[in-house]
Every structure is written in C-alpha cells, then in structure tokens.
Amino acid sequence: MEEVNELGVSAGPGSRKGRSRVTVKDLARDLGMSVSTVSRAFYAEAVVAPATRELVLKRARELGYRPNPMAQSLKTNRTQIAGMVVSDITNPFYPEVMSRLAAGLHEIGMNVMLISAPQAGEIDDAVKLLLSYQPDLVIILAATLSSEAMRECRTAGSPCIFFNRLSSDPDSFGVSCDNAKGGGKAADFLIKRNHKRLAYISAYADASTNMERRDGFLKRVVERGLTRPVVIEAGSFSYEAGYEAAGAFGELEERPDGVFCANDIVALGFIDGVRNRLGLDVPGDISVVGFDDIAMAGWPSHGLTTVGQPVDEMVSATVELAATLAADPREKPIVTRLAPRAIVERTTTRRR
Amino acid sequence: MEEVNELGVSAGPGSRKGRSRVTVKDLARDLGMSVSTVSRAFYAEAVVAPATRELVLKRARELGYRPNPMAQSLKTNRTQIAGMVVSDITNPFYPEVMSRLAAGLHEIGMNVMLISAPQAGEIDDAVKLLLSYQPDLVIILAATLSSEAMRECRTAGSPCIFFNRLSSDPDSFGVSCDNAKGGGKAADFLIKRNHKRLAYISAYADASTNMERRDGFLKRVVERGLTRPVVIEAGSFSYEAGYEAAGAFGELEERPDGVFCANDIVALGFIDGVRNRLGLDVPGDISVVGFDDIAMAGWPSHGLTTVGQPVDEMVSATVELAATLAADPREKPIVTRLAPRAIVERTTTRRR
DNA sequence: CTGAAAGCGCTTACAG
DNA sequence: CTGAAAGCGCTTACAG
C-alpha cells in the first residue's frame, strides 16, 4: 500500500473515512495517459493498443486499482450484483445451496446481495431496498414473491430466477429439479421393495416442488396398479410439520407401509414423530423416503433414504444463466429442469 | 407505475435494460423545484422548509422515487452496505444468525453483501471483490480472515466486526458470548448432578470460542476440586469431527461420565459416535452437554442439553454497532460480551 | 489508436 | 430557505 502514498493521493476532504482509494485519475496521472485510455484498457471490446493495455493493467495491479463498481454502474446500468432472496432458512438444503451459489457467482465476478426474511410478509420492503441497488438479476430461493414485488422487479429491470421452487409467473426464469420424475423414482423404489400401501406427506401445498413431487409420486403408483396413496398435509417444509404429520398418520384406519415425504427435513420430523408418538419402528413397520439428500440425511442417527437433488448441476445452470442475464437481461424466460440423482438407500427403508 | 409514464421519463439510450427509473431530476421537474431542494428533503439534517419537505416526500412516495444509492455513495463515501463473510455454513447456528442479522440490518436501511467461502482459502479473492463496493463495515461469521485480507479491509476503510468467533487482531470489533462463563456453567451443571470424571471435546483448536469454552470449563472444574478434564481434539466445528472424537473417547483408560462439547453440532456427532461405535448409552453411561442451542438440539431425536447462546442480544448488539459504524467508522474497536443463557436441560444428561 | 468532453444520479458548499 | 454549480469515479460517443 506504500504505492498509494508514492502516488501522492491525499485523503482529501470528502474522506473523513480515511479511504484513500486509487482512482482511474490517479492511475492515468501516474502513467501519463488520459483517463479515457486507462479506462479502455479494462474492456476487452474497447480498442486500445495492446502494449498500452498491458502497461495499464500491470500498473493497476501494482497500485491495487480496481474500477469503482458504483461509478461504473452509474454509466453502464450494470451493477454486477445478484440479489438473493431467501426465506426458508431453517431447511438446511438452502444454506448449502446459498453457499455454493455465492461461490459460483463470485467466480463470474458478481457479488451477492442477500435478502432474508424470517416471515414471508417482511420480504416486500427488503426487496425494495435491494432493488434500489439495481441488481442485474435476483435469485429467489424458497421464497414466494408477492405479485407486487415481482412487478417491481420487472420495472426495475431485474429479471428473476427462481431456484428450486418455481413461480407461477410466466415472466420469470427457473432452475429446478425434475421433481415429478423424482416422485416417480420414489414410487418405483418402494414398489420394487414390495410396499403395498403408500402415503405422501405434503409440505407447503402451493409450492411447485411439493405439487410436482406429489403428483409424480401418485401418478406412478397408480400406473403401477397400486391404490392411490393417501396424502397427509403437513403444511410446511419443516421438521415440526413432519413431526405433527405423524399424528394424522396415526389416525389412518389402514396404516401405509411406505411413506414418501416432500423433503428431507419433513421426513426427519415425520420419522421422529412416528417413533415417539406412535411407537412405530422405522423401517420395521414403515419405510420412509425423503427428497434432497441434505448432509443430515447421511448422519447415522437418521440414515435417511432419499431422492438426491442434482445440486451441482442446478447451481451451475443458475450461474450460467446469471452470466447470460448480466450481459443481456432481455433474454426470454426459460425454465431449466435437471434430472434428480439416483435414490440413496440408507436405513429408513427395507424390503417388505 | 403509471406515474412514471405521466412524468414522461423515457427509457433513454443508455437503458437497453428497459430500466426506467425516476431520478431526482424527474422529481424536481415534476414539482417545479430545483434538484438541490429535492435532494435536501431526504436529509433530516438539511435545512429546508418543512412544507417543502413534506411535498417532496409525498410526491416521491407517489412516484416511487428512491435515491440511487450508487450515486449517493459516490458523493458521500457511504454505501449502506454491510459485507457479510461466512465460511462455516454447515453449522446450523450460522444460517439462523445470518437470517436475523440480515433482517436487523435491513431495518436500519443497510443491505447485506454476502461472501461465502466453502474453503477458507478462497475467501481472500471474494473479500477483494466485496471491498470494491466499499462496504461501510464487514461482519465476519465463523471465518478467519487472513491478515492480508484484514489489512485490505483497513485500507479500504471498512471496519470489521467479528461475530461470535473473535479475531486476534486488536483493531477489529467483536460481538460474542461470554464463552468462558458458558464453559463454567456447563461445569457447574455436570458437577451439581454428581459427575466425577469430565471431558471436553475441542473443535477448531485456534478458534476463540473453542478456547474460551474449554478454559472456562477446565478452570471451573478444577476450582470445584475435581480432576482436570481430559481434552479430546476433534479438530473442527462439525458433526463429522464430533463423530470421530467418539473413537478417541473410546480409547481412554478411565471413561469420563460427563462430556462438554465445543458446540451443539459437535455434540450431536459425538453422541452418535458414542452410541454407534462404542455402544454406549447417552445419558445412561455418559452425559453430554453442548453449546449454542440450535433448533436441532430441541428435536426429540436429539434432545440435547446445552448452553444457550444469547443470539437475540448478540444480533441486536451487532446491528447497533453497525449503525454506529455506518455513521462514523472511526469509532475505536470494542468487543462486546453477552452473558450466555441458562442451560437448557434435555435428555442427554442425567444425575449420577 | 488516443484525448477532451459530456454525463450517469446524486450531494453540498457557496451565493443569494 | 432555495438554486446554480461543482464534482464523486467512471464510460463512451466524438474528434482528431
């Protein structure tokens, strides 16, 4: 940082903050070039003598110069910011995804602005705050945007990518697992192991993920000639909801022997509920299959058999889409569906 | 959004993006005032006729005008951005904290820029990217910044707040639980229930949280006249580390009857390890106490007795500090310590 | 290939 | 109390 002083960049009156940052002006002066030329050196498309560019880039590195993205965005209307809206943070699936998404976005030079709403209601205000930074795009995890918020994104010119859970809005992008297929896999898995009476534990009823997994599961079961599975409404994607669902499960006159849950966290709650409240054995009395394959599913205390999500592929697809959208936000909305991974068989299922 | 058109704000040449945003200029024209006056209306300290201010604010609301923070920051050197650096996302304690911190920061009008590094090594680059946005401060969760990164924060003028885990750097802020006291509480708890031979499962050895909890625990145990607890090095704050530590625990010639773990997630792993690998009963053979009181600790399948962190207080303190720092970054570094909550007694401990 | 100039959307001394 | 002007750090037509 000595070079900063070499340059003679003084703190200046505006910087009570003590921020002495190298600006394009400093760099230009140091190099004896015009600001325009220096600026151009940073853009591959810009026409500038190769030798000049090299000189600029080299000196920039030495002085630790980086273009100020705030100033850039004022001119370019691009911010290199990806908004990330999250609400259902209690599902461990999302921290895992957030972390990997953020890393991927950093790699393409984007920064992530995080909006996290404990309650769904509070999301709107936060989205407004986010939008004032004009993010190049916003990625929505496990949250449902109000139609007002969606409209605001549109007027702000920030396209929305729904990750995992899709939106009913036809104007937004989506990256998701082929959940219906995943539901079908769960059905095949249980039927192959000779289960006869199946059930589905439904989470948040309106979530696309929930509906697709349910429908895929039911459809396949019926196709295979078994009776249509019972559906128990747990109400949300949470451990508690799964735990409560065990109560309703206990009331069934004919007890199912195979259960597919909307996701892992619901499955874990359901299993605990079934064990504690109904005194049943898993997998002795019933088999339970989850969806996601979060790290916890692999813990010995749980050993959950589950349909794995193709997280790597989903993250890559999202990052790629982000790169495209950052370059040209006018792409037409598209929904990408990735095939689920193979079922991971652990200890919550067995052959009947 | 109709008003935008009323105003006659055209998309303009620069906005291929279709971003038609109301600017201060538009608002001024609409109100027949100067840009200066309009701008002033948004600052409580600025001198402007009350009636004028009201008018401006009202119309701004109607048109959906919000000052562009990018442009603002160019003048003010304040960005209203809080950087958030996270690495240990597998510990569920952090998602809970992130979510609440983000919400609190949004309430004081700050936005959160997230850096998440899967491996500690990759954090430096991401921090550089973050710093180019000149965050008013950066909050560090469960991560250790390289000294180079810390220096960069300093030259960038962004003060660092270490949350939970403290830094050895004397130049940074900190908000943490009184971990030593928490360790002492765990000791008292086990001793009161007549445990005689105690052990501590250590996580990442260099983490301040780990050291303080350990030392507080050991000190209190010795003070109370018991023999100094065995310390087993699990190596990291993870389930896997706890699980592995059970192996080392099994090798001990004299088996402890009470174990205090560096945090909940380590405790859960340790318990599973002890049960699966050693065939021991918890709490039959040994009692286990954790630290944090994450949601999972309360699950029936775990029922972990644990020292609760004062998360609410820690989050409030951090947000308050952020507000102060955003206003004046030259505050002197201070470390806030909050008392741990009472131990939550569940089913992994019993009286001997 | 390079430079001078305009302007992105703001804030804030400086006059009046 | 208000307005005209300068300037924050950039990019990018426009000349040369």
Side-chain angles (χ1 to χ4, degrees):
Chain A
M1 294 301 99
E2 293 309 300
E3 291 95 340
V4 174
N5 294 332
E6 258 175 45
L7 261 185
V9 177
S10 75
S15 63
R16 294 192 314 264
K17 237 193 141 168
R19 287 186 172 169
S20 64
R21 181 187 179 125
V22 186
T23 74
V24 65
K25 227 186 268 178
D26 301 322
L27 190 52
R29 197 182 317 129
D30 178 84
L31 286 161
M33 299 178 187
S34 79
V35 165
S36 331
T37 304
V38 169
S39 173
R40 274 190 278 257
F42 291 90
Y43 293 83
E45 330 77 81
V47 43
V48 60
T52 311
R53 167 168 289 142
E54 209 174 310
L55 230 56
V56 172
L57 263 26
K58 174 163 164 289
R59 193 74 183 123
R61 245 192 319 277
E62 289 170 5
L63 299 182
Y65 169 75
R66 304 195 126 214
N68 179 337
M70 312 297 218
Q72 280 182 310
S73 82
L74 224 46
K75 289 291 308 174
T76 61
N77 258 341
R78 322 263 54 178
T79 54
Q80 306 282 84
I81 291 176
M84 193 149 118
V85 180
V86 185
S87 84
D88 185 15
I89 202 101
T90 57
N91 178 357
F93 177 68
Y94 288 106
E96 294 178 17
V97 162
M98 281 170 64
S99 165
R100 291 157 85 167
L101 263 179
L105 290 164
H106 289 142
E107 262 167 40
I108 61 167
M110 302 204 74
N111 245 312
V112 173
M113 233 175 214
L114 179 72
I115 297 290
S116 163
Q119 279 99 297
E122 296 169 32
I123 253 185
D124 268 41
D125 274 351
V127 167
K128 267 180 212 170
L129 187 56
L130 168 65
L131 252 23
S132 70
Y133 285 87
Q134 311 245 87
D136 288 343
L137 69 152
V138 359
I139 301 176
I140 293 135
L141 304 186
T144 333
L145 245 44
S146 73
S147 51
E148 198 203 323
M150 294 238 30
R151 192 154 30 79
E152 296 206 30
C153 286
R154 199 149 333 146
T155 43
S158 305
C160 293
I161 305 180
F162 282 81
F163 185 97
N164 196 29
R165 190 189 300 181
L166 266 21
S167 164
S168 54
D169 183 295
D171 227 27
S172 42
F173 296 78
V175 174
S176 180
C177 172
D178 187 337
N179 292 295
K181 192 168 180 181
K185 278 194 176 190
D188 285 336
F189 179 93
L190 289 168
I191 293 169
K192 183 170 176 193
R193 280 156 190 76
N194 212 31
H195 294 77
K196 296 298 183 199
R197 294 177 307 283
L198 302 179
Y200 178 73
I201 310 298
S202 163
Y204 177 50
D206 289 347
S208 67
T209 40
N210 182 65
M211 296 190 290
E212 294 166 6
R213 289 167 198 174
R214 179 194 61 205
D215 295 348
F217 182 67
L218 297 195
K219 180 152 170 277
R220 192 83 185 105
V221 171
V222 172
E223 273 174 15
R224 298 278 302 258
L226 299 200
T227 55
R228 187 186 165 82
V230 169
V231 173
I232 293 176
E233 295 294 338
S236 78
F237 286 101
S238 68
Y239 178 90
E240 289 74 16
Y243 197 86
E244 285 306 316
F249 184 82
E251 316 265 288
L252 262 29
E253 69 280 15
E254 224 188 347
R255 196 173 71 217
D257 55 3
V259 178
F260 174 46
C261 297
N263 77 350
D264 284 353
I265 204 83
V266 167
L268 297 180
F270 180 74
I271 291 169
D272 279 357
V274 151
R275 286 174 173 159
N276 289 342
R277 299 174 51 162
L278 310 181
L280 293 178
D281 185 67
V282 177
D285 298 311
I286 58 172
S287 292
V288 177
V289 176
F291 202 109
D292 280 348
D293 196 20
I294 56 179
M296 213 180 302
W299 290 6
S301 48
H302 302 129
L304 181 65
T305 296
T306 188
V307 181
Q309 288 238 47
V311 181
D312 282 336
E313 292 89 330
M314 288 165 70
V315 166
S316 306
T318 307
V319 171
E320 223 167 286
L321 185 53
T324 313
L325 251 26
D328 180 8
R330 330 213 58 167
E331 296 287 323
K332 334 188 204 343
I334 184 176
V335 172
T336 307
R337 295 241 176 225
L338 285 328
R341 302 211 315 268
I343 287 192
V344 186
E345 183 167 7
R346 298 201 181 90
T347 59
T348 56
T349 48
R350 63 151 218 202
R351 163 164 288 281
R352 301 282 149 212
Chain B
M1 294 301 99
E2 292 309 302
E3 291 96 339
V4 175
N5 293 334
E6 258 176 43
L7 263 185
V9 177
S10 76
S15 64
R16 297 189 314 264
K17 237 195 141 166
R19 289 185 169 168
S20 64
R21 178 185 182 129
V22 186
T23 73
V24 65
K25 226 187 269 181
D26 301 323
L27 190 52
R29 196 183 318 130
D30 178 86
L31 286 160
M33 298 177 187
S34 79
V35 165
S36 330
T37 304
V38 169
S39 174
R40 275 192 276 260
F42 290 90
Y43 293 83
E45 332 77 82
V47 44
V48 60
T52 311
R53 168 167 288 142
E54 208 174 312
L55 229 56
V56 173
L57 263 26
K58 174 163 166 287
R59 194 72 183 123
R61 244 191 319 277
E62 290 170 6
L63 299 183
Y65 168 75
R66 303 194 126 214
N68 180 338
M70 312 297 217
Q72 281 182 310
S73 80
L74 224 46
K75 289 291 307 172
T76 61
N77 257 341
R78 321 264 52 178
T79 54
Q80 306 283 87
I81 291 177
M84 194 148 117
V85 180
V86 185
S87 84
D88 185 15
I89 202 102
T90 56
N91 177 356
F93 177 68
Y94 288 107
E96 293 176 20
V97 162
M98 281 169 64
S99 165
R100 291 156 83 170
L101 262 179
L105 290 164
H106 288 142
E107 262 167 39
I108 61 167
M110 302 204 75
N111 245 313
V112 172
M113 234 175 214
L114 179 71
I115 298 290
S116 162
Q119 279 99 299
E122 295 169 34
I123 255 185
D124 267 41
D125 274 352
V127 167
K128 268 180 212 170
L129 187 57
L130 168 65
L131 252 24
S132 70
Y133 284 89
Q134 311 245 87
D136 288 344
L137 68 152
V138 358
I139 301 175
I140 293 135
L141 304 185
T144 334
L145 245 44
S146 73
S147 51
E148 199 203 321
M150 294 238 29
R151 192 153 31 80
E152 296 207 28
C153 286
R154 201 150 332 143
T155 44
S158 305
C160 292
I161 305 180
F162 282 82
F163 185 98
N164 196 31
R165 190 189 301 181
L166 266 22
S167 165
S168 53
D169 183 294
D171 227 28
S172 41
F173 295 78
V175 175
S176 181
C177 173
D178 187 336
N179 291 296
K181 192 168 180 180
K185 277 194 177 192
D188 285 336
F189 180 91
L190 289 168
I191 293 169
K192 183 170 177 194
R193 279 158 190 75
N194 212 32
H195 294 76
K196 296 299 182 199
R197 294 177 307 284
L198 303 179
Y200 177 72
I201 310 297
S202 163
Y204 178 49
D206 290 347
S208 67
T209 41
N210 182 65
M211 296 190 291
E212 294 167 7
R213 288 167 199 174
R214 179 194 60 204
D215 294 348
F217 181 67
L218 298 195
K219 179 152 172 277
R220 193 84 185 104
V221 171
V222 172
E223 273 174 15
R224 298 280 302 259
L226 298 201
T227 55
R228 187 186 165 80
V230 169
V231 173
I232 294 175
E233 295 294 338
S236 79
F237 286 100
S238 69
Y239 178 90
E240 289 74 16
Y243 197 86
E244 285 308 315
F249 183 83
E251 315 266 287
L252 264 28
E253 68 281 16
E254 225 189 348
R255 196 173 71 219
D257 55 2
V259 178
F260 173 46
C261 297
N263 77 349
D264 283 354
I265 203 83
V266 167
L268 297 179
F270 180 75
I271 291 169
D272 279 358
V274 151
R275 285 175 174 157
N276 289 342
R277 299 174 50 162
L278 310 180
L280 294 178
D281 185 65
V282 177
D285 298 310
I286 58 172
S287 293
V288 177
V289 176
F291 202 109
D292 279 350
D293 197 19
I294 56 180
M296 214 180 299
W299 290 5
S301 48
H302 301 130
L304 181 65
T305 296
T306 188
V307 182
Q309 288 237 48
V311 182
D312 282 336
E313 291 89 332
M314 288 166 69
V315 167
S316 307
T318 307
V319 171
E320 225 167 284
L321 185 52
T324 312
L325 251 26
D328 179 9
R330 332 213 56 168
E331 296 286 324
K332 338 188 201 338
I334 184 176
V335 172
T336 308
R337 295 240 176 226
L338 286 326
R341 301 211 318 266
I343 287 193
V344 187
E345 183 167 7
R346 298 204 179 89
T347 59
T348 56
T349 48
R350 65 150 216 204
R351 163 165 286 283
R352 302 282 150 211

